[in-house]
Amino acid sequence: MTGEETPLERERELYELESLIDATVATAGRLLLIEGPPGIGKTLLLRRLRRSAAARNLLVLAARGGELERDFGFGIVRQLLEPLFVSGDRREDLLADAAGLGEPVFAAAPDSSAGDASHAVLHGLYWLVVNLAQASPVILAIDDVHWADPPSIRFLIHLTRRLDGLPVGIAITSRTEDPAADDGLQRALRAEASPPVLRPHALSAEATRQLVESRLGIDADPELCAACHEASGGNPFLVSELLEELRAKRAEGRVLEPSRVREIGPERIASALLMRIGAVDQDAPALARAVAVLGSEAKAEQASELAEIKLERARAVAAQLHDAGILEFDEPLRFVHPIMRSAIYEDIPAAVRSGLHGRAAALLASKGAEPEAVGVQLLAADPIGDQSAIETLRAAGRAALARGALETAVRYLRRALREPPREANRASVLLELGRTERELGLPEASAHLREAVEAAPAARSRAEAADALGWATGPDPKAQGELIALFEDGAEGVRGQDRELALKLEARRLAALLLLPDHSPRFEDEAERFRNLAGDTPAECALLSFCARKVLLEGGSAAVVSEITTRAARHLDLTEPGAHSIWLLSTILWLPDRGGRQAFKRRLDDAIGGAAKRGLATVFAWNSNLRAHILNVTGDLRGAEADARAALDSGGLAGAFPHAPMVPLVQSLAEQGKTAEAEALLRDRGLIGELPPPRPYTALLVSRARMYTVAGDLEAARSDLDEALRRLEHARSGGVGELDVWLEAALIHHALGDHERGRQLSDEALEVATAWGAERALGGALRVAGVLRGEEDGLNLLEQAVEVLARSPASVWRAGALVDLGAALRRAGQRSGARGRLVEGMDLAHRCGAAPLVDRAHDELTRLGARPRRFASSGVDSLTPSERRVADLAAEGMTNKQIAQALFVTLRTVEMHLSTCYRKLGIESRLKLRQTLEVKE
């Protein structure tokens, strides 16, 4: 189609392109989608956008998807950003700070040891774009996104969701008639597009007439114009190709007959294209086929060798194809339009095409091309049992994995299995594949890892595969139970050569046993074997955590569990989410040693900070979730909410229990009185009503019950608590680990009139807590017993509860005990004693953020005739948890960018939080922020 500067009948589309540029300059970037059938003019519109944006001094970065390139991990991202790294100085600036986490995408040999690479790379690439946008507004233009590689699509989704406040605009084109466009990731990307979606329509008969006259240079016969419109269907590309054919006929002196034009449909037009290439030069078809097969690697040298013609000859033919409007005048060689490449590629017989790809792979390998570039060719070639091809595919998979391109790595490794590998190597390929599939959450992971166990020729490789299989299987009791024998055999096989791996498998076995409803006798026997481990390695710590849990469930004393837990926490691996870390945490929460608990929290602080610096979203999310549990117990409800929200917002948790942070989040929101907000969050995630059976959901039942209690829906609270107790009994749990459930259930049953059941639960809890001996457990049980018994006995128990909880970190529970005691003293007529306890409880509840307790204390004081103060709705106490977290980091001297990187949020989020903080605190900038916060402290 000629006249690209003034595309016909595209006024609305051109207006929207300019609107995207305007929005980008105004830091209101968005994703613009242009979609339609092949040849409708999407590419032309994207070119117009690029020219217009460049003319307005925006930085324009362009890329184009291709049928081969979709198997090259982060291929689109590299097309967009790699040209910026021509200058070494430029590279250093662009990859500064967190953006450096994206460097593996552009490295010739990325570090394969990087963990959680997919999250880290996405995080780094986002900040690389932020760095770019700080110098100039940016337009990213991606043509044929339906052929983009999955890792690049993930990045575009990640970036699009963070465009608010950035001077970055994205425009993509996608075919509506290509099966690749129906891929789940593709649909997710298109769903992120802001309205309107541009769908260019076919040209009218009048527009076709204008093209006929401009291209043929004549006043065209109306019947000829109508025939051209009918034959092309108004498709701009097909009109253009048809006119090229007619122009050639006219140059030969032939009469342009409308009746003959009507016989040329779209399929004939494609054939005409192939004939036109053949007419350029006798070597043109071979060169065109070579370019079609090589894709992005079609440099003149490689194309000439694959086409088996001399280099200078190939360059001359390429120039002729450029003059004919078929190839672009650039290196590597590319077709002017993807339809041309598809027509040529599909015209090659399948067997010949496979052979050309095999030859291309060998050619690229001989030229020292990256393994991924060679692997792309092997993916398109038929398997022939070539062991060197398998090694190339595995190397390509490892390189893709190191870049964070997990989907691409899976493609290479699955192809390697089809070659196929010799039996001696098959297990290692299966292990690599299964581990990568596990990271993506693919269901095939378990089957491949189980096959790796069965195919492994040596004990060590069997053990490694069994270890990976344990993670891939998830918390399903039946599935985990079936793996116990594999864990046993694996541990036994490597006990003499790799003690740490053997102990890891022992821990896997204990985790599986603990998930089984009938685990108790065997679990206790097995756990006891490891009780005397020193805790010198992560595997030893994992096993000791099970020992501590076992003693806790048996009703052992806090002193005994504290000693085991201290060893268990010494080298606990906090970089790998697992059952042992959450079980160890649940034990720590009940310990009498405040110092040990704080030491564990400091470990979490370090792990969270390190994860943020390295872009490890999974580690950040998991440990933020763990710290939220501790902060809830110690009374920092706002901090717990902030941590739990950060864990959810980071996007780092997936797999068997992606809702783990909802447990501490719902708990903290309930204690703060934000029950409507908590219920909305649960509803959004489908967590209202019956919950799945796996063990982690039992904890969510307890948090949800607390939400219902505070909201006044006691029947719903009782239902959740009774279900939690049923599940715990079925799982043969017991001891102090169930104390929260017993105490909450005792209060609910009592409030609903079932005094006998409430008293039974309370008495059981007090007996267990007394034997346990830790202040939080004992104080909580004394408080509930005091509320249920009432009168003088109840007063004595509440007095004891207040005294015991004063020595514990459980600030919210202590505030509740003080308010309960004050209310009981008021009812007993001891007004002066009541007032002091209520004021103390209200102040402590306020510091914790426990608004319902503050309100209750306020009501009790009002009944005494007092005039308690109302806490201000402005100032430091008015800051939300997220606002306070941002304010604290800003007060420490961190820049907005550093804060955003540390919390896995956008710059706009930080700016908005700080702006709100300034307004609430009555200050104008961060200069007074630290002073204001310190005064409050």
Side-chain angles (χ1 to χ4, degrees):
M1 182 173 177
T2 61
E4 289 190 358
E5 292 75 12
T6 55
L8 296 173
E9 297 184 334
R10 297 292 184 258
E11 291 79 8
R12 175 178 175 271
E13 287 83 356
L14 294 175
Y15 171 79
E16 292 299 337
L17 297 182
E18 292 299 322
S19 296
L20 175 64
I21 297 173
D22 292 339
T24 301
V25 173
T27 68
R30 58 188 176 90
L31 172 65
L32 176 67
L33 170 61
I34 308 170
E35 65 178 8
I40 201 65
K42 305 182 297 294
T43 298
L44 175 60
L45 288 171
L46 207 60
R47 288 175 182 163
R48 179 60 179 258
L49 171 67
R50 291 166 57 184
R51 288 198 302 272
S52 183
R56 294 175 59 177
N57 295 319
L58 278 72
L59 174 63
V60 180
L61 304 174
R64 188 170 85 183
E67 291 172 280
L68 285 178
E69 284 80 354
R70 61 185 164 191
D71 291 321
F72 199 108
F74 284 113
I76 290 295
V77 170
R78 295 179 72 171
Q79 284 187 53
L80 288 170
L81 301 174
E82 208 161 33
L84 299 169
F85 298 135
V86 174
S87 166
D89 294 339
R90 179 86 163 149
R91 184 186 188 96
E92 185 176 345
D93 292 340
L94 291 175
L95 294 174
D97 301 321
L101 297 168
E103 188 169 17
V105 169
F106 313 103
D111 180 7
S112 61
S113 65
D116 202 15
S118 58
H119 288 292
V121 166
L122 294 182
H123 188 59
L125 290 174
Y126 164 74
W127 284 106
L128 194 161
V129 173
V130 172
N131 289 346
L132 274 176
Q134 289 181 327
S136 166
V138 179
I139 290 288
L140 304 179
I142 302 101
D143 202 8
D144 289 329
V145 81
H146 53 279
W147 284 330
D149 61 282
S152 290
I153 294 294
R154 286 192 185 279
F155 167 65
L156 290 172
I157 294 171
H158 183 85
L159 176 61
T160 301
R161 291 172 178 171
R162 292 159 177 79
L163 286 178
D164 186 29
L166 280 182
V168 177
I170 306 174
I172 61 175
T173 70
S174 179
R175 285 189 187 178
T176 53
E177 300 175 7
D178 194 288
D182 289 330
D183 173 79
L185 272 177
Q186 292 278 350
R187 291 196 300 272
L189 176 63
R190 296 199 303 275
E192 294 295 329
S194 301
V197 173
L198 302 186
R199 297 183 176 93
H201 54 76
L203 297 179
S204 67
E206 172 58 22
T208 304
R209 183 192 65 77
Q210 294 179 41
L211 280 176
V212 171
E213 293 187 348
S214 66
R215 292 291 294 274
L216 297 183
I218 61 173
D219 292 332
D221 174 57
E223 189 177 352
L224 177 66
C225 294
C228 289
H229 183 69
E230 181 181 337
S232 67
N235 182 291
F237 175 80
L238 296 180
V239 171
S240 178
E241 286 301 305
L242 175 61
L243 293 177
E244 283 295 322
E245 181 71 12
L246 294 178
R247 189 167 65 174
K249 292 181 183 297
R250 184 167 178 268
E252 296 170 1
R254 299 166 66 178
V255 178
L256 304 181
E257 299 179 5
S259 59
R260 297 296 302 274
V261 171
R262 286 191 174 92
E263 296 174 2
I264 306 176
E267 297 81 8
R268 292 287 303 278
I269 292 173
S271 299
L273 167 65
L274 297 172
M275 292 176 63
R276 182 152 60 95
I277 292 173
V280 168
D281 187 279
Q282 64 178 1
D283 289 328
L287 183 65
R289 285 195 295 270
V291 172
V293 166
L294 285 166
S296 62
E297 298 296 322
K299 297 181 176 63
E301 181 181 1
Q302 282 86 331
S304 68
E305 289 193 37
L306 188 60
E308 298 182 310
I309 57 180
K310 293 183 178 180
L311 178 57
E312 290 306 314
R313 175 79 178 136
R315 286 177 173 153
V317 173
Q320 294 179 68
L321 288 171
H322 167 70
D323 293 340
I326 295 169
L327 288 184
E328 293 180 353
F329 192 72
D330 202 0
E331 280 264 355
L333 302 175
R334 299 191 72 168
F335 291 96
V336 169
H337 199 287
I339 291 179
M340 294 179 173
R341 188 262 176 194
S342 296
I344 294 164
Y345 187 78
E346 291 167 9
D347 186 62
I348 306 171
V352 175
R353 191 164 58 218
S354 173
L356 283 172
H357 281 297
R359 286 179 52 211
L363 171 64
L364 292 173
S366 70
K367 301 292 184 182
E370 294 179 5
E372 293 153 285
V374 181
V376 162
Q377 296 295 329
L378 290 171
L379 287 173
D382 293 333
I384 58 174
D386 183 354
Q387 298 305 302
S388 65
I390 293 171
E391 290 310 307
T392 298
L393 288 162
R394 293 179 70 182
R398 286 191 290 271
L401 190 61
R403 298 187 202 280
L406 304 185
E407 296 96 338
T408 306
V410 166
R411 289 267 293 156
Y412 290 136
L413 292 168
R414 287 180 177 177
R415 172 64 180 79
L417 278 181
R418 291 174 51 227
E419 193 64 22
R422 296 191 182 98
E423 284 304 314
N425 296 327
R426 181 174 177 79
S428 58
V429 177
L430 285 164
L431 179 57
E432 291 176 13
L433 174 58
R435 282 173 169 168
T436 309
E437 289 172 330
R438 182 195 72 192
E439 291 299 317
L440 282 169
L442 298 179
E444 298 91 337
S446 294
H448 283 137
L449 289 170
R450 185 179 287 276
E451 191 178 349
V453 174
E454 295 168 354
R460 182 179 182 81
S461 54
R462 282 196 299 274
E464 290 175 341
D467 180 48
L469 179 59
W471 279 117
T473 303
D476 179 66
K478 182 176 183 297
Q480 285 286 341
E482 294 172 352
L483 298 181
I484 289 176
L486 289 181
F487 297 148
E488 291 173 342
D489 292 344
E492 185 61 33
V494 296
R495 203 178 308 281
Q497 53 181 299
D498 191 333
R499 178 177 179 273
E500 183 71 359
L501 179 56
L503 292 179
K504 281 181 69 175
L505 288 168
E506 296 281 13
R508 290 270 185 268
R509 179 170 57 164
L510 290 185
L513 286 170
L514 193 56
L515 284 169
L516 300 177
D518 58 351
H519 74 265
S520 289
R522 186 175 182 187
F523 173 80
E524 291 164 4
D525 293 342
E526 294 293 335
E528 190 64 31
R529 289 198 296 118
F530 306 105
R531 186 156 172 177
N532 294 321
L533 291 173
D536 290 335
T537 69
E540 288 190 4
C541 291
L543 287 165
L544 284 169
S545 74
F546 289 109
C547 295
R549 182 70 170 167
K550 175 244 181 182
V551 175
L552 182 148
L553 294 176
E554 286 181 329
S557 72
V560 174
V561 175
S562 178
E563 190 278 326
I564 299 174
T565 302
T566 300
R567 283 182 279 139
R570 188 179 302 168
H571 294 286
L572 184 69
D573 184 3
L574 294 176
T575 66
E576 184 178 10
H580 53 273
S581 56
I582 190 66
W583 289 334
L584 179 60
L585 170 71
S586 65
T587 306
I588 286 172
L589 296 181
W590 293 103
L591 293 180
D593 180 10
R594 189 183 306 216
R597 190 180 299 104
Q598 289 304 311
F600 187 69
K601 179 181 174 295
R602 285 193 294 272
R603 293 276 308 284
L604 290 172
D605 294 344
D606 292 342
I608 292 167
K613 290 178 181 177
R614 296 167 58 201
L616 305 181
T618 300
V619 179
F620 175 89
W622 184 255
N623 289 297
S624 294
N625 167 56
L626 297 184
R627 190 169 67 180
H629 282 278
I630 287 183
L631 294 179
N632 265 333
V633 167
T634 56
D636 185 358
L637 300 177
R638 299 183 185 91
E641 180 189 344
D643 266 349
R645 287 188 184 278
L648 287 171
D649 293 345
S650 70
L653 286 182
F657 192 45
H659 308 296
M662 290 296 292
V663 175
L665 179 56
V666 171
Q667 180 75 24
S668 65
L669 290 173
E671 298 293 359
Q672 293 177 76
K674 302 176 182 178
T675 54
E677 189 175 345
E679 187 167 5
L681 286 168
L682 288 167
R683 195 173 302 281
D684 287 346
R685 288 163 175 77
L687 299 173
I688 294 292
E690 186 176 352
L691 295 179
R695 192 181 187 92
Y697 287 96
T698 303
L700 187 56
L701 277 171
V702 180
S703 290
R704 195 173 71 179
R706 183 59 185 158
M707 175 194 74
Y708 286 134
T709 298
V710 176
D713 190 349
L714 301 188
E715 289 290 354
R718 176 166 62 181
S719 176
D720 274 357
L721 289 167
D722 285 348
E723 173 61 14
L725 287 169
R726 185 196 67 76
R727 292 186 182 196
L728 289 169
E729 182 179 356
H730 182 67
R732 288 186 171 88
S733 295
V736 74
E738 294 183 18
L739 201 60
D740 275 357
V741 194
W742 289 344
L743 296 178
E744 190 74 16
L747 289 170
I748 294 300
H749 280 281
H750 179 78
L752 289 172
D754 189 352
H755 303 301
E756 182 178 352
R757 176 60 172 160
R759 184 68 174 267
Q760 175 195 354
L761 289 167
S762 173
D763 288 347
E764 288 177 2
L766 184 56
E767 181 181 353
V768 169
T770 301
W772 177 248
E775 288 87 356
R776 177 176 181 260
L778 181 56
L782 288 168
R783 176 200 171 193
V784 171
V787 170
L788 267 58
R789 294 186 188 184
E791 299 181 349
E792 185 174 350
D793 190 20
L795 277 174
N796 290 334
L797 289 169
L798 286 171
E799 290 280 8
Q800 293 178 51
V802 167
E803 180 182 348
V804 171
L805 288 170
R807 302 191 299 271
S808 85
S811 299
V812 176
W813 280 17
R814 182 165 186 266
L818 284 163
V819 174
D820 287 334
L821 177 57
L825 289 171
R826 179 191 61 78
R827 291 191 296 269
Q830 301 180 37
R831 299 173 62 84
S832 60
R835 178 168 182 160
R837 294 299 194 179
L838 288 169
V839 169
E840 185 181 358
M842 185 171 70
D843 287 344
L844 180 56
H846 173 68
R847 291 197 298 274
C848 293
L853 262 180
V854 172
D855 292 342
R856 185 169 163 235
H858 186 277
D859 292 344
E860 289 288 343
L861 285 166
T862 301
R863 292 183 184 184
L864 285 172
R867 299 179 62 183
R869 64 189 177 99
R870 286 288 185 184
F871 296 100
S873 59
S874 61
V876 174
D877 291 331
S878 68
L879 301 180
T880 67
S882 297
E883 290 165 356
R884 180 60 192 263
R885 181 66 53 85
V886 169
D888 286 338
L889 294 176
E892 292 174 8
M894 293 177 67
T895 65
N896 288 4
K897 183 190 288 189
Q898 290 169 334
I899 295 170
Q901 291 171 357
L903 299 179
F904 287 87
V905 296
T906 66
L907 273 172
R908 184 58 168 264
T909 299
V910 174
E911 291 165 357
M912 291 175 61
H913 281 332
L914 282 177
S915 178
T916 304
C917 289
Y918 299 155
R919 177 177 53 79
K920 289 182 177 181
L921 299 177
I923 59 178
E924 297 180 355
S925 70
R926 68 172 65 206
L927 294 175
K928 293 186 178 181
L929 189 58
R930 183 170 186 173
Q931 180 181 0
T932 304
L933 296 176
E934 286 178 346
V935 168
K936 173 62 183 176
E937 294 300 328

